[in-house]
Amino acid sequence: MQLKGTRLEVNLEALAHNYHYLRSKISKDTKFMSVVKANAYGHGIVPIAQKLQELGTDYFATAYIEEGVELRDNGIIKPILILHPQQHNLDLCIDRCLEPVIYSVEMLDAFTASAKAKQQQSYPIHLEFNTGMNRLGIDPKEIDKVLEKIHSSPEVKVRGLQSHLAASEDLGEAVFTQKQIALFEDITATLPQKLGYEVLKHESNTSGILNYKNAHFNMVRAGIGLYGFGNDAQYDLNLQPIASLISNISQIRTIEAGETVSYNRKFVAKDRTTYAVVPLGHGDGVNRIYGCGKLEVRINGKPAPTLGIICMDMFMVDISAMEAKVGDEVVIFDPQIHTSRQMAEDAGTISYELLTGIQKRVRRVYVNNSSK
Ligand SMILES: *Cc1c(COP(=O)(O)O)cnc(C)c1O
């Protein structure tokens, strides 16, 4: 049998399912922005964006300018929003037709200066307002100052107004979230008039799409939902995780009672123990927290817990209770039985962090499987 090796297997049909599901939750007139920052949440920015472009997404978003450049280098022609541009390469932003989020007065000044130097006219920008996330954003008190600057800067034109919800996944924070939505409503109700033209208005991430219909405005920004998670077990039923992390056993060894496994001898065998070495480690994104039994992988459908400390390039799992041989497949997570969400929660983190932490050297393989 030809071994497939360690890989993150990404199912583009599941991505399509999630895209269509999220789109079904917004009105026909609302635009859909696909957030593909951080290597498309670890899934591989180029193939994911190409598929989403084919599916008809209206917009893309990345965090940084360099990520937008990678999209432009690989055939993405749809508008690209840069959520967190910095001042050192705004020229590149303009050269590659990337639309910056202007989150401060300083950034507005820096960007208009770049646009002027490059002899731009009406270059599209988005203004982000802080409505309670208290991360990036222009203070609503600064609106008049910002407007004045925009009116005297023909090199830029506002294409969108943005804000970000702090707790859209937590219905216990609904009162706070509705306040954020109301504040954004106020801003977006008056600003277009003052600007003299209509603009895009966007405030919702995935949980905003699912939990707050009144926060959709005329564009939404979906990230984690595209990759199969809705921040709530009930929503997960309608979404499909798109990735599986799979490897193959490199070596099998049996030790006697009293012998130890891996660094610092944290696992001491109580009985004769047979275990397998798996070629994945913290250098790949399977963090040390998953050692010493914190993670159960599956081999031939049976659970195999980690033994001892996770190394940089490998970890060991107990296979005393099963039949297994070198080369057998090791499933670390998959969409059905043991999801990345479950694995992340077992370690006290979230699927976002586990997925974005999977390193470049883990090969991404793209498949088209319709499982449901
Ligand atoms: C990452 C991000 C999103 C996407 O959030 P999800 O919860 O993954 O849908 C949307 N908007 C902004 C500003 C972001 O930083």
Side-chain angles (χ1 to χ4, degrees):
M1 189 186 80
Q2 180 74 35
L3 296 188
K4 290 190 186 160
T6 299
R7 66 216 183 263
L8 186 76
E9 213 170 89
V10 179
N11 181 355
L12 295 176
E13 280 309 307
L15 177 68
H17 167 90
N18 297 332
Y19 171 81
H20 292 305
Y21 178 74
L22 292 168
R23 268 223 108 125
S24 78
K25 295 284 144 192
I26 62 175
S27 93
K28 283 214 163 36
D29 309 325
T30 303
K31 287 190 190 300
F32 190 95
M33 176 185 283
S34 298
V35 181
V36 294
K37 62 192 179 188
N39 199 24
Y41 291 45
H43 296 83
I45 187 167
V46 170
I48 294 288
Q50 286 172 341
K51 179 72 181 182
L52 288 163
Q53 182 163 266
E54 187 188 307
L55 287 167
T57 190
D58 298 296
Y59 249 90
F60 286 100
T62 65
Y64 304 126
I65 289 167
E66 293 80 353
E67 297 174 302
V69 170
E70 191 176 356
L71 292 179
R72 288 286 185 245
D73 282 343
N74 287 280
I76 299 302
I77 56 172
K78 290 280 169 80
I80 301 172
L81 183 71
I82 307 297
L83 296 166
H84 196 173
Q86 284 121 68
Q87 294 192 19
H88 68 278
N89 55 0
L90 293 177
D91 286 358
L92 191 56
C93 184
I94 294 169
D95 290 343
R96 306 310 297 271
C97 292
L98 307 170
E99 299 178 14
V101 169
I102 302 297
Y103 49 79
S104 66
V105 174
E106 291 90 333
M107 184 50 89
L108 180 60
D109 289 342
F111 193 80
T112 46
S114 289
K116 196 171 198 165
K118 287 194 157 282
Q119 297 171 336
Q120 298 296 306
Q121 292 243 320
S122 304
Y123 193 94
I125 61 172
H126 296 242
L127 301 178
E128 175 167 20
F129 293 97
N130 177 29
T131 56
M133 175 72 177
N134 291 336
R135 192 172 65 175
L136 292 177
I138 297 164
D139 193 316
K141 287 202 287 281
E142 295 174 308
I143 283 183
D144 287 339
K145 183 156 85 182
V146 165
L147 263 178
E148 217 170 277
K149 284 176 184 279
I150 300 247
H151 282 306
S152 59
S153 311
E155 49 278 0
V156 298
K157 183 170 181 186
V158 178
R159 179 167 287 175
L161 304 175
Q162 162 174 336
S163 191
H164 193 49
L165 298 172
S168 55
E169 72 267 35
D170 182 357
L171 291 176
E173 293 286 0
V175 172
F176 180 85
T177 302
Q178 291 295 1
K179 264 194 209 145
Q180 276 198 279
I181 297 169
L183 184 50
F184 190 60
E185 250 162 20
D186 280 352
I187 295 169
T188 55
T190 53
L191 252 185
Q193 222 169 358
K194 293 180 186 164
L195 287 166
Y197 46 84
E198 268 313 310
V199 294
L200 293 168
K201 305 161 187 176
H202 44 102
E203 188 176 38
S204 279
N205 61 349
T206 297
S207 294
I209 296 170
L210 297 172
N211 288 334
Y212 294 96
K213 232 181 171 22
N214 63 332
H216 291 183
F217 297 92
N218 59 13
M219 182 154 74
V220 295
R221 305 186 304 264
I224 196 76
L226 289 170
Y227 310 106
F229 298 99
N231 291 322
D232 183 304
Q234 178 209 326
Y235 290 130
D236 284 359
L237 297 176
N238 299 311
L239 296 163
Q240 298 174 12
I242 70 170
S244 308
L245 183 58
I246 307 169
S247 189
N248 299 102
I249 295 176
S250 296
Q251 188 177 11
I252 291 176
R253 178 186 303 281
T254 298
I255 54 172
E256 302 301 330
E259 292 191 270
T260 63
V261 175
S262 194
Y263 287 124
N264 303 328
R265 311 186 65 205
K266 292 294 179 210
F267 174 78
V268 184
K270 287 201 186 72
D271 303 295
R272 186 160 221 257
T273 302
T274 300
Y275 62 92
V277 182
V278 181
L280 264 171
H282 61 76
D284 301 289
V286 178
N287 295 339
R288 286 174 99 251
I289 192 153
Y290 291 109
C292 300
K294 256 277 162 116
L295 167 70
E296 276 187 351
V297 302
R298 270 176 306 109
I299 297 171
N300 302 318
K302 297 215 175 68
T306 52
L307 285 189
I309 281 180
I310 305 260
C311 308
M312 191 182 294
D313 315 308
M314 63 197 91
F315 63 80
M316 278 62 82
V317 293
D318 191 345
I319 56 167
S320 302
M322 69 182 73
E323 294 284 320
K325 58 183 187 311
V326 167
D328 280 358
E329 270 195 359
V330 180
V331 180
I332 292 87
F333 61 73
D334 69 2
Q336 291 90 25
I337 298 171
H338 186 235
T339 63
S340 52
R341 178 202 192 108
Q342 192 58 55
M343 175 168 164
E345 282 177 3
D346 289 347
T349 182
I350 56 174
S351 52
Y352 296 68
E353 188 181 44
L354 174 60
L355 291 167
T356 58
I358 296 173
Q359 297 300 306
K360 252 211 172 95
R361 71 176 180 181
V362 176
R363 205 161 37 100
R364 272 69 175 170
V365 174
Y366 298 89
V367 298
N368 284 288
N369 278 339
S370 20
S371 62
K372 279 189 191 167

